[in-house]
Amino acid sequence: ERATYEKLVRVLAHEVNNTVAATGSVLDSLLFYKPQLIASDGEDFGTAIEAVKRRNASLGEFIERFTHVVKMPAPEPRPTDLRGLLDDLLRLYREPGRARGVEVALARVEEVPLVPIDRNLFEQALLNIAKNAVEAAEATARERGQPGRVEFELYREGERVRLAVVDSGDRLGEVPPGQMFTPFFSTKKGGQGIGLLFVREVLQRHGTAYRLAPDGAGRTRFDLWLSLQGTGAGGRLVAR
């Protein structure tokens, strides 16, 4: 699946980038003729060309986000303080969450040993998970007319550390098992599914087991189990 997806993205990126570059060049050239038009026509002409240029640039950025998943570097694990990562997430999302009617807080957080991970890659994955959680909690809060909540958990389970992001959003009830990490699938209107693909790739490269599923109490849990012994051969999805 991964090899097929990577090949598809490379082919698409090649074709889209060639088209974006050529189209951008042509659009810039067309603006040369704007001064030759009467004022009213020139303004409309320029506005239309700029709109197409913006859409062209957006297309390039869209495909670039997919190539980031394919071009992801191999992890360079180093002993990392997961509590520090969660503290940073809390600082980043607490105030924006409050502005959106969502409380972001630490729940069950215990002292755990340092875990060997690539901090940069893993932090980016956690940012994606937290962002999705806040958006899901906000959407459900609007529907229910009550505040939303996102909680972070961290504690040890034997030779592994369990890290969880729990949100009050209830967006997975109708999603078939295993579909969440399917390429291009998203529960958000207009979503592209890129974020979860990136998260899955990071977790698999770290050998991290993970589960994204409803908890049966109207909440959604994204659980990660990190080995204290280093990265494994590949991450695995725990059955829902």
Side-chain angles (χ1 to χ4, degrees):
E1 178 190 355
R2 180 185 300 175
T4 301
Y5 177 68
E6 290 180 356
K7 183 176 181 180
L8 172 63
V9 169
R10 289 194 182 97
V11 171
L12 288 175
H14 176 74
E15 296 300 327
V16 170
N17 288 334
N18 284 345
T19 301
V20 164
T23 304
S25 178
V26 171
L27 291 172
D28 286 335
S29 298
L30 287 174
L31 284 175
F32 171 79
Y33 297 101
K34 178 180 176 181
Q36 301 179 27
L37 303 174
I38 60 175
S40 58
D41 289 346
E43 183 177 352
D44 291 342
F45 179 80
T47 299
I49 293 296
E50 292 295 341
V52 178
K53 285 181 63 178
R54 287 194 297 272
R55 184 65 192 91
N56 193 57
S58 295
L59 179 59
E61 292 170 2
F62 170 79
I63 201 66
E64 183 66 20
R65 290 198 293 271
F66 278 103
T67 59
H68 285 165
V69 179
V70 175
K71 296 178 180 178
M72 186 184 303
E76 298 181 4
R78 293 183 176 84
T80 302
D81 176 15
L82 290 179
R83 172 60 189 269
L85 277 181
L86 291 188
D87 286 340
D88 288 345
L89 278 179
L90 182 64
R91 296 187 190 99
L92 183 63
Y93 281 103
R94 183 165 47 195
E95 291 307 318
R98 186 174 299 163
R100 301 168 75 167
V102 177
E103 181 182 3
V104 182
L106 300 178
R108 178 184 176 183
V109 177
E110 303 172 357
E111 293 297 325
V112 299
L114 300 180
V115 176
I117 58 172
D118 186 310
R119 181 186 173 98
N120 290 332
L121 284 178
F122 216 88
E123 184 175 39
Q124 190 59 48
L126 288 178
L127 285 171
N128 274 281
I129 294 172
K131 176 177 178 291
N132 286 344
V134 170
E135 291 175 349
E138 179 189 18
T140 300
R142 286 199 306 266
E143 295 170 0
R144 297 175 178 174
Q146 60 188 38
R149 185 173 176 85
V150 173
E151 298 177 345
F152 301 133
E153 298 178 0
L154 181 68
Y155 49 94
R156 183 167 181 171
E157 289 185 342
E159 292 304 309
R160 300 191 300 180
V161 168
R162 182 170 180 166
L163 188 159
V165 179
V166 187
D167 67 74
S168 60
D170 189 15
R171 321 305 291 178
L172 302 184
E174 303 300 322
V175 179
Q179 191 171 356
M180 283 303 303
F181 295 90
T182 301
F184 311 112
F185 175 80
S186 175
T187 60
K188 294 184 292 186
K189 183 178 180 180
Q192 301 156 0
I194 302 174
L196 279 182
L197 283 176
F198 177 85
V199 169
R200 182 184 71 169
E201 190 68 17
V202 170
L203 298 181
Q204 289 182 337
R205 294 192 183 203
H206 279 81
T208 300
Y210 57 96
R211 177 176 61 205
L212 173 60
D215 71 348
R219 305 185 306 171
T220 298
R221 296 184 60 92
F222 201 137
D223 291 287
L224 315 177
W225 288 269
L226 296 96
S227 172
L228 295 172
Q229 308 302 318
T231 60
R236 59 189 179 88
L237 176 63
V238 177
R240 289 174 55 183

Short mmCIF file of all heavy atoms in Angstrom, two decimals, residues 29 117 140 146 184 189 203 233:
data_model
loop_
_atom_site.label_atom_id
_atom_site.label_comp_id
_atom_site.label_asym_id
_atom_site.label_seq_id
_atom_site.Cartn_x
_atom_site.Cartn_y
_atom_site.Cartn_z
N SER A 29 2.98 36.55 -17.73
CA SER A 29 3.13 37.17 -19.05
C SER A 29 1.84 37.90 -19.45
O SER A 29 1.90 38.98 -20.05
CB SER A 29 3.47 36.11 -20.09
OG SER A 29 4.70 35.48 -19.80
N ILE A 117 12.74 8.81 20.77
CA ILE A 117 11.97 9.17 19.58
C ILE A 117 12.69 10.31 18.86
O ILE A 117 13.59 10.94 19.41
CB ILE A 117 10.53 9.62 19.92
CG1 ILE A 117 10.57 10.82 20.88
CG2 ILE A 117 9.72 8.49 20.48
CD1 ILE A 117 9.21 11.44 21.12
N THR A 140 -18.53 19.36 17.77
CA THR A 140 -19.53 18.68 18.60
C THR A 140 -20.11 19.63 19.64
O THR A 140 -21.31 19.57 19.95
CB THR A 140 -18.92 17.45 19.29
OG1 THR A 140 -18.44 16.55 18.29
CG2 THR A 140 -19.94 16.73 20.14
N GLN A 146 -22.80 23.08 24.24
CA GLN A 146 -22.08 23.03 25.50
C GLN A 146 -20.58 23.06 25.23
O GLN A 146 -20.15 22.79 24.10
CB GLN A 146 -22.44 21.76 26.28
CG GLN A 146 -22.11 20.47 25.53
CD GLN A 146 -22.65 19.24 26.23
OE1 GLN A 146 -23.75 19.27 26.78
NE2 GLN A 146 -21.90 18.16 26.23
N PHE A 184 -6.69 9.88 1.61
CA PHE A 184 -7.70 10.82 1.14
C PHE A 184 -9.01 10.78 1.93
O PHE A 184 -9.95 11.47 1.57
CB PHE A 184 -8.01 10.62 -0.36
CG PHE A 184 -6.78 10.55 -1.21
CD1 PHE A 184 -6.43 9.37 -1.83
CD2 PHE A 184 -5.96 11.65 -1.38
CE1 PHE A 184 -5.28 9.29 -2.63
CE2 PHE A 184 -4.82 11.58 -2.16
CZ PHE A 184 -4.48 10.41 -2.79
N LYS A 189 -15.45 18.28 6.74
CA LYS A 189 -15.93 18.79 5.47
C LYS A 189 -14.78 19.51 4.76
O LYS A 189 -14.15 20.41 5.31
CB LYS A 189 -17.09 19.76 5.69
CG LYS A 189 -17.69 20.28 4.40
CD LYS A 189 -18.88 21.18 4.67
CE LYS A 189 -19.49 21.69 3.37
NZ LYS A 189 -20.65 22.58 3.62
N LEU A 203 4.25 7.43 13.14
CA LEU A 203 4.09 6.38 14.14
C LEU A 203 4.65 5.05 13.63
O LEU A 203 5.31 4.31 14.38
CB LEU A 203 2.61 6.22 14.49
CG LEU A 203 1.95 7.45 15.13
CD1 LEU A 203 0.49 7.15 15.46
CD2 LEU A 203 2.70 7.92 16.36
N ALA A 233 10.29 -2.35 14.31
CA ALA A 233 10.37 -2.51 12.87
C ALA A 233 9.29 -1.75 12.14
O ALA A 233 9.43 -1.41 10.98
CB ALA A 233 10.27 -4.00 12.51
#
